[in-house]
Amino acid sequence: MEKTVYKYLIRYSLPQQIWLTALAASSFPFLYAFYELPKRIINGAIQGDPEGFPVDLFGVRFDQTGYLFLLCTAFLILVLINQAFKYYINVYQGLTGERMLRRLRYQLFSRVLRFPQPTFKNMSQGEIIPMITSEVEPLGGFIGEAFALPAFQGGTLIVILAFLFYQNWIMAAAAVALYPIQLYLIPRLQMRVNALGKERVRLVRRLSDRIGEAVQGVPEVHIHDTSQFVLADFSDRLGSIFQVRYRIYRQKFVIKFINNFIQQLGPFFFYSLGGYLVIAGSLEMGTLVAAIAAHKDLGAPWKDLLAFYQRREDAKIKYEQVISQFEPVGMPDESMQTEEPESIDPLTGDLTAANLTLTDEVGDNVVDGVSLEIPMPSRIAIVGESGSGATELVQLLSRLLYPTRGGVSVGGLEFAGVPEAITGRRLAYVGQQGYVFAGSLGFNLFYGLKHRPMREFEYDDDAKSQRSWHENEAKAAGNTTLDIKADWVDMESAGADTPEALQAQGLRVLEMVGLDDEVYRWGLRGTVDPTARGDMTEAILRARSAFRERLADDEGMADLIEVFDRSAYNANATVGENLLFGNVVGDAFDMDRLGENPYVLEVLEKVGLTERILQIGYDTAATMVEIFADVPPDHELFQQYSFVSAEELGELQHRLTRIDRERVADLSAEERSHIMSLPFKLVPARHRLGMIDDDIQAKLLDAREVFARDLPEDASDSVEFLDLDTYASTANIQDNIIFGRVVYGRPEATDRVSALITEVVSELGLRDTVVEVGLRYDVGVSGSRLSSGQRQKLAIARGILKRPDILFLAEATAALDTASQGLIMSNLLEEFADRGLVWVLHKADLAREFDHVLVMRSGKIVEEGTFEELNRGGSYFRQLIDGA
Amino acid sequence: MSLNEEVDLLRRIPLFSNIEPSKLKLLAFTSERLKFREGTELCHQGDIGDSAYIIIKGSVGIVVSTPNGDVKVAEVYENDIVGEIAILCDVPRTATVIADQDVEVLKISKELFFRMVGEFPQMAVEIMRELATRLERTTSQLTRALNS
């Protein structure tokens, strides 16, 4: 990148800078007139000799008053013109600056994407992020004003000075007499501030680095009780930053003090020297007033210029400091990532490496002059102790690392200089810990297919103009114009031609890594929007009726589920669920506080249940108080079993002692709302309190009818009523199929029910649908909602899906359980039977199934051959096997 | 059967006879009420035990697997407790418990069981008595076996 900020802005914004400077220059005549005019108004119009009037101007005759108004009108027009210039220049400056800032950020980030891998060993996220985000921010502002501000304000200053000198050179010279001192002193003081500023940037960068580290390593802090140590370190860093900042403040205000003092000296000279001259009669009053006015305006540009000088120094440092971090050695050119070859052919032919060497930071050869020639297709195992350089070798072969010396080629195609469009699509590499991005499982699975936009997004007319605006702006700032909204998934590279086929491919690779069952289970727990996917919900409804038929056929099964039935009470659901007989949408009904809901209370009143519910509430509360009174508040029994929290319990206890059961109805609405809410949480089959008897159940069924019938229009969307023929959009797929409750107290129920669901789902061919929903499972920030094993399986699946010509794996299954390891290895060996598979194994004896084995030690290949050839007494390979 | 009936039932079991009703209510409320079909296993020999069962209805058989096949060693009826050894001394289940007919049980978790024992020395004494009786019985059985 350009070495200085001036070179940078000249390269990318020269026309804009010229335009801005030209604008500034053309505003000066108006400015001069603006200062000249007040003198005319006072000397010519107000204090003018009445003998001189009327005057003829532009062929019109003016008397003294008319002349005054004419001049004042001209003054007003000049004010407008000057402000219009200012407005336009400011806006255009902002535009230029923002575009340049956008360009700079984009360039920096695009460089991060091209950093050679080892760069990240010395540079942390905590340093990179603030550089691209906050540190370059002031640069945008500076770039906009880089030429225009000095031109405009400097010009203004000169205009005003010229005006002052023209009026009376002694007075003017006195007013600016101390400016040279300022010019001498300020830069020197400023230099010290700048040095401190540099120091501050460096310290803050370290600080954010440390915060990032603490966040990532927070478990270690807990485990080893190092919080105080970490805090002490943090405090020390804050202390250093504080010190630097405080010194900056002091210096800055010294500068400000000097500036202000010298500025205020001007009026001193006007009043004293100018006043003396007026008294002496050698200066007109109007001239003095105009001079004072002009001098007042002199302060603003002068200050601006000094401030600009400070910002300029600041920007120069920032730019150089940031840029130096973004120029690591060995970074490839941008074209490496942007180049799109006309056609990309499969990489066939031998995989060869010649004198491949990788030197680390301390000068050791991690990979030391490796030459090899592997005929493709074949499946290669690489074994070696940790630190043998095996992992680095496959990273070199897959072009994740760039070699220090030597090169790699496939079928004669040298990798050096080949765009990532080829290596990134025809090769795949999976390391020990594949990264999972925030988003859905499917997003991550298909991530490896998103190289370029494949199909354009269909914009409607409004959005189209928006889009073209975005595109033009991106172009103006040198950003990519590729559309993120487009469909980027390259289905063809996964061997699919339709989204359905792609999903089938996705499922196939998930099966290969043993992740399909999990995705299926997530699918069952996922929801489907019936308006968007009516086809899906209809199919699920078919599964519901199939499931019901099965229940009807099998008495043992039917016992395990209490199905939803509008005309029957469901003892395995809460009283509240029984009343609503539907799922809550939005927050109109809070299932935990139904006893406070006015509409629910109204319904209870209508069916004459208020008092009974209140009494049940009282009895429930009494039972809870009796049972849990002696249990410590933080005991897990509380969390597991009580439907009253420890704090509420105390409150209830208090309330119960104040009032009898018979008089509970006398409680005020507010007081009883809590007691009233308790019964709605009861599940008769689970809690067995014996309070919801047949009579109450019958009444609750009445209440259910009334609730649905009288539900006000504005609340009709708040409950999605259960209906055998309707898909419940708020419930998950599994609950939609069951359409009932698994009964309490049958230990085998859960397993048998899910087995039956699976049976029904596969019989109806619904498994794909469920999996499709499962692919929408949100994996959380960097995949945190997946286990580490699941993340790794996903990373492997992603590597297989794009059908690479050669798949490189570096101990990719080392952290998985033995069963998964075996499954994945045998599946991959089969899948890549006619392609290339290069696998660094964490255990030498796993190499048995591979066509060819390379044995590495200290960065060199020390043995190679088939498993049988190498597995003989005295070989290093045998040592590795025995050692394991 | 409601909670109150369960409490009455628990009170008839010697182990719990001296415990105040509110504690028995806690025990009943926090215990799962389970139904096992005839022939199903409540627990399996060798598994890790985390709960004991109080038989509310029906009877269960205690089966020990030996080199000569499974041997039914005892039957446990209503109002009795089964599976307490595994939760008392952290050993795997010493026997398999099979429902002889459809049974209903209260499943008492280890956690809660220990809490009750800690809080009610009387319960500990009852357990000691029960264990001593069993020990005495096994000893005399052993003596008889050795003599014959």
Side-chain angles (χ1 to χ4, degrees):
Chain A
M1 285 180 84
E2 287 64 29
K3 291 287 166 233
T4 68
V5 66
Y6 273 97
K7 281 188 185 148
Y8 186 78
L9 65 90
I10 286 175
R11 166 151 181 206
Y12 293 111
S13 68
L14 189 60
Q16 286 88 340
Q17 302 290 357
I18 291 175
W19 173 234
L20 277 167
T21 314
L23 272 174
S26 52
S27 72
F28 296 141
F30 299 96
L31 196 65
Y32 189 87
F34 173 73
Y35 290 111
E36 176 66 23
L37 210 51
K39 194 183 96 183
R40 292 263 175 102
I41 292 174
I42 294 174
N43 290 346
I46 302 173
Q47 296 186 331
D49 182 5
E51 303 297 311
F53 291 98
V55 289
D56 291 322
L57 277 174
F58 319 115
V60 185
R61 175 159 293 205
F62 291 95
D63 60 7
Q64 188 169 5
T65 327
Y67 185 59
L68 175 70
F69 287 130
L70 175 74
L71 289 184
C72 286
T73 312
F75 181 79
L76 201 61
I77 291 169
L78 280 173
V79 168
L80 277 174
I81 291 175
N82 282 320
Q83 292 309 316
F85 264 111
K86 262 194 186 150
Y87 171 80
Y88 184 78
I89 290 176
N90 280 333
V91 169
Y92 197 78
Q93 267 181 15
L95 179 75
T96 311
E98 289 305 318
R99 275 189 188 146
M100 290 293 279
L101 178 61
R102 179 176 178 175
R103 179 188 296 270
L104 183 60
R105 281 186 170 149
Y106 181 83
Q107 287 182 345
L108 293 179
F109 185 64
S110 115
R111 280 169 170 259
V112 171
L113 294 185
R114 278 181 286 139
F115 278 2
Q117 285 298 308
T119 317
F120 294 104
K121 286 185 187 167
N122 306 320
M123 214 169 156
S124 71
Q125 270 187 33
E127 291 176 289
I128 296 176
I129 295 169
M131 281 195 272
I132 301 183
T133 54
S134 55
E135 282 183 32
V136 295
E137 180 107 36
L139 287 180
F142 169 73
I143 290 175
E145 63 188 23
F147 288 109
L149 190 133
F152 184 71
Q153 301 293 7
T156 309
L157 193 73
I158 290 169
V159 168
I160 297 174
L161 278 178
F163 172 75
L164 284 178
F165 273 92
Y166 179 69
Q167 304 309 322
N168 184 303
W169 70 270
I170 304 174
M171 195 174 65
V176 298
L178 291 176
Y179 278 22
I181 299 179
Q182 247 173 321
L183 275 179
Y184 174 79
L185 213 53
I186 302 300
R188 271 153 193 76
L189 289 171
Q190 188 60 42
M191 241 152 68
R192 280 159 66 183
V193 174
N194 289 344
L196 286 171
K198 233 181 198 174
E199 175 74 9
R200 188 189 56 134
V201 169
R202 199 177 55 81
L203 287 173
V204 171
R205 223 182 259 166
R206 290 267 177 77
L207 185 79
S208 67
D209 182 30
R210 205 37 82 94
I211 297 173
E213 211 180 11
V215 169
Q216 284 196 323
V218 83
E220 303 296 328
V221 173
H222 296 302
I223 292 296
H224 302 296
D225 179 32
T226 52
S227 60
Q228 297 310 304
F229 175 73
V230 173
L231 283 174
D233 174 68
F234 194 69
S235 164
D236 183 57
R237 284 168 194 280
L238 286 179
S240 313
I241 295 175
F242 171 84
Q243 204 179 13
V244 169
R245 290 189 71 108
Y246 182 57
R247 284 168 63 195
I248 292 178
Y249 274 117
R250 282 203 315 217
Q251 298 275 352
K252 262 192 178 164
F253 286 111
V254 165
I255 296 177
K256 205 163 186 182
F257 173 81
I258 295 174
N259 280 341
N260 284 342
F261 176 72
I262 291 176
Q263 194 56 41
Q264 296 304 324
L265 278 177
F268 168 78
F269 285 116
F270 284 119
Y271 293 134
S272 51
L273 209 60
Y276 171 78
L277 290 174
V278 170
I279 293 169
S282 58
L283 190 70
E284 286 173 18
M285 182 65 190
T287 314
L288 180 62
V289 171
I292 290 177
H295 179 266
K296 208 169 110 252
D297 288 351
L298 191 61
W302 179 240
K303 245 186 186 163
D304 267 359
L305 276 177
L306 287 173
F308 170 77
Y309 177 75
Q310 291 181 1
R311 283 201 299 276
R312 188 184 76 139
E313 292 305 299
D314 214 37
K316 273 160 84 174
I317 297 168
K318 282 235 169 82
Y319 180 85
E320 280 154 41
Q321 251 184 346
V322 169
I323 295 309
S324 65
Q325 299 291 318
F326 284 80
E327 299 197 306
V329 185
M331 189 176 70
D333 192 67
E334 199 180 0
S335 61
M336 174 84 101
Q337 288 180 335
T338 50
E339 199 179 319
E340 178 72 31
E342 296 244 321
S343 67
I344 298 173
D345 298 323
L347 296 176
T348 50
D350 298 355
L351 170 66
T352 60
N355 190 28
L356 204 56
T357 303
L358 180 72
T359 311
D360 66 10
E361 306 88 81
V362 292
D364 286 340
N365 286 345
V366 187
V367 175
D368 195 358
V370 168
S371 296
L372 47 79
E373 204 169 327
I374 305 173
M376 285 290 155
S378 64
R379 297 162 302 180
I380 313 295
I382 305 181
V383 294
E385 288 177 325
S386 79
S388 63
T391 301
E392 285 79 3
L393 177 63
V394 290
Q395 289 183 342
L396 287 168
L397 294 177
S398 60
R399 239 266 300 258
L400 186 60
L401 289 176
Y402 304 120
T404 316
R405 276 191 305 281
V408 181
S409 64
V410 173
L413 179 71
E414 286 286 342
F415 276 5
V418 162
E420 284 187 2
I422 293 175
T423 56
R425 296 180 210 184
R426 304 312 318 173
L427 304 176
Y429 166 85
V430 186
Q432 264 193 7
Q433 286 185 327
Y435 191 80
V436 171
F437 298 91
S440 70
L441 188 89
F443 170 80
N444 275 288
L445 182 61
F446 300 126
Y447 185 82
L449 305 177
K450 297 177 185 182
H451 316 295
R452 296 288 186 278
M454 301 303 290
R455 282 160 298 278
E456 275 183 30
F457 183 79
E458 299 286 333
Y459 289 97
D460 59 29
D461 287 343
D462 292 351
K464 210 174 254 170
S465 64
Q466 265 287 327
R467 167 69 196 150
S468 72
W469 182 86
H470 272 287
E471 215 172 300
N472 289 334
E473 261 315 309
K475 239 181 251 168
N479 285 199
T480 180
T481 52
L482 301 179
D483 186 4
I484 189 66
K485 278 213 187 104
D487 183 3
W488 285 66
V489 175
D490 179 8
M491 293 192 286
E492 199 191 322
S493 71
D497 44 9
T498 61
E500 291 74 30
L502 179 67
Q503 195 196 314
Q505 282 296 335
L507 186 57
R508 197 177 71 87
V509 297
L510 288 174
E511 266 167 31
M512 283 168 65
V513 298
L515 207 58
D516 52 327
D517 283 342
E518 269 117 322
V519 177
Y520 169 73
R521 277 206 305 278
W522 289 322
L524 282 180
R525 276 169 193 72
T527 55
V528 182
D529 179 5
T531 50
R533 294 304 302 266
D535 54 329
M536 267 193 191
T537 55
E538 263 167 45
I540 295 167
L541 283 177
R542 281 200 298 280
R544 180 188 287 178
S545 39
F547 187 80
R548 291 214 139 200
E549 278 164 28
R550 290 303 196 70
L551 286 187
D553 293 349
D554 181 348
E555 210 167 303
M557 225 26 241
D559 270 3
L560 300 182
I561 299 226
E562 187 174 10
V563 292
F564 292 130
D565 179 353
R566 176 159 279 285
S567 58
Y569 191 85
N570 192 320
N572 285 286
T574 67
V575 171
E577 287 162 344
N578 267 291
L579 172 66
L580 264 62
F581 199 67
N583 297 303
V584 172
V585 183
D587 46 12
F589 293 97
D590 179 351
M591 291 307 279
D592 281 338
R593 313 169 76 149
L594 281 183
E596 294 175 26
N597 189 291
Y599 179 66
V600 170
L601 293 176
E602 189 188 315
V603 170
L604 291 181
E605 195 66 45
K606 276 184 195 161
V607 296
L609 256 181
T610 312
E611 201 147 326
R612 291 297 301 278
I613 291 289
L614 202 50
Q615 274 167 1
I616 293 173
Y618 186 92
D619 292 342
T620 309
T623 310
M624 286 302 114
V625 168
E626 185 190 358
I627 292 180
F628 286 98
D630 296 339
V631 179
D634 53 350
H635 201 280
E636 69 175 292
L637 282 177
F638 244 114
Q639 284 130 38
Q640 255 179 302
Y641 297 103
S642 174
F643 32 83
V644 182
S645 73
E647 303 88 69
E648 286 174 324
L649 196 73
E651 206 178 298
L652 279 178
Q653 199 165 9
H654 177 67
R655 201 155 284 168
L656 293 183
T657 50
R658 284 199 304 122
I659 194 132
D660 294 341
R661 184 175 191 269
E662 282 65 39
R663 290 183 47 225
V664 67
D666 297 347
L667 285 172
S668 74
E670 197 189 328
E671 279 180 310
R672 67 195 213 184
S673 66
H674 188 195
I675 292 181
M676 200 72 181
S677 288
L678 289 180
F680 291 104
K681 299 187 213 172
L682 284 175
V683 179
R686 179 179 174 210
H687 296 117
R688 319 184 299 277
L689 294 180
M691 292 175 184
I692 311 296
D693 56 24
D694 292 350
D695 183 37
I696 304 258
Q697 294 189 3
K699 282 250 172 65
L700 279 168
L701 287 179
D702 291 345
R704 181 188 287 178
E705 288 303 317
V706 174
F707 184 96
R709 191 190 65 207
D710 295 350
L711 190 66
E713 193 69 29
D714 58 343
S716 61
D717 290 342
S718 307
V719 181
E720 188 180 27
F721 291 108
L722 293 170
D723 176 29
L724 188 55
D725 301 321
T726 313
Y727 186 84
S729 62
T730 44
N732 64 37
I733 293 183
Q734 181 166 321
D735 287 347
N736 263 295
I737 295 177
I738 297 177
F739 197 68
R741 280 290 146 85
V742 179
V743 300
Y744 283 97
R746 296 300 294 274
E748 77 278 28
T750 320
D751 286 349
R752 288 194 58 192
V753 169
S754 31
L756 183 59
I757 291 176
T758 306
E759 231 179 277
V760 168
V761 163
S762 354
E763 264 171 36
L764 291 180
L766 261 178
R767 203 177 152 83
D768 284 356
T769 306
V770 175
V771 166
E772 190 183 334
V773 176
L775 286 177
R776 297 207 307 253
Y777 177 75
D778 179 9
V779 298
V781 177
S782 48
S784 57
R785 291 179 66 193
L786 303 180
S787 72
S788 63
Q790 288 167 341
R791 282 199 290 272
Q792 188 58 13
K793 288 175 182 175
L794 180 55
I796 299 173
R798 177 165 65 199
I800 313 169
L801 184 70
K802 66 177 180 182
R803 300 191 306 165
D805 299 319
I806 308 173
L807 174 64
F808 297 92
L809 297 151
E811 304 187 11
T813 58
L816 298 179
D817 57 276
T818 323
S820 301
Q821 280 179 14
L823 174 86
I824 294 174
M825 184 169 287
S826 66
N827 280 337
L828 286 189
L829 283 167
E830 193 192 321
E831 173 80 6
F832 284 84
D834 52 3
R835 283 183 275 160
L837 181 66
V838 181
W839 197 325
V840 178
L841 297 167
H842 59 287
K843 278 197 290 198
D845 56 347
L846 294 173
R848 196 177 297 268
E849 308 289 327
F850 286 78
D851 302 330
H852 195 77
V853 183
L854 306 177
V855 186
M856 284 201 71
R857 187 179 198 177
S858 310
K860 290 189 165 75
I861 294 176
V862 288
E863 290 170 3
E864 64 176 300
T866 63
F867 185 87
E868 285 72 26
E869 286 165 9
L870 293 174
N871 190 17
R872 55 185 153 76
S875 75
Y876 177 61
F877 182 67
R878 173 65 73 82
Q879 272 183 45
L880 286 174
I881 289 183
D882 293 345
Chain B
M1 195 186 291
S2 77
L3 199 63
N4 288 329
E5 290 165 302
E6 284 168 13
V7 171
D8 287 342
L9 184 137
L10 285 173
R11 208 182 291 159
R12 288 202 291 274
I13 300 173
L15 198 56
F16 302 118
S17 56
N18 287 315
I19 295 175
E20 53 182 279
S22 73
K23 294 297 158 194
L24 287 183
K25 232 179 212 181
L26 175 66
L27 183 71
F29 186 69
T30 54
S31 298
E32 256 182 291
R33 172 87 166 262
L34 300 178
K35 281 183 195 168
F36 287 92
R37 292 250 169 213
E38 183 182 339
T40 53
E41 290 181 1
L42 278 69
C43 60
H44 191 82
Q45 186 175 347
D47 286 355
I48 303 298
D50 61 349
S51 47
Y53 300 93
I54 292 167
I55 314 295
I56 295 175
K57 213 173 101 193
S59 68
V60 296
I62 314 290
V63 176
V64 179
S65 83
T66 68
N68 304 323
D70 291 353
V71 179
K72 185 168 180 177
V73 293
E75 276 191 13
V76 178
Y77 302 95
E78 273 168 34
N79 300 359
D80 219 338
I81 187 164
V82 63
E84 73 283 16
I85 293 179
I87 66 172
L88 275 173
C89 53
D90 264 331
V91 291
R93 297 284 190 197
T94 50
T96 299
V97 179
I98 298 177
D100 281 346
Q101 44 196 270
D102 286 359
V103 294
E104 282 188 48
V105 300
L106 264 189
K107 182 179 173 189
I108 299 180
S109 72
K110 183 175 177 172
E111 199 335 51
L112 190 66
F113 190 75
F114 270 106
R115 195 178 136 78
M116 306 289 275
V117 173
E119 240 175 89
F120 301 99
Q122 192 57 41
M123 204 168 137
V125 172
E126 285 296 337
I127 292 171
M128 273 195 276
R129 200 198 307 277
E130 169 70 21
L131 292 179
T133 318
R134 284 191 203 169
L135 184 63
E136 195 274 330
R137 202 189 306 147
T138 359
T139 317
S140 56
Q141 276 171 354
L142 189 64
T143 321
R144 240 178 296 148
L146 285 174
N147 288 345
S148 60

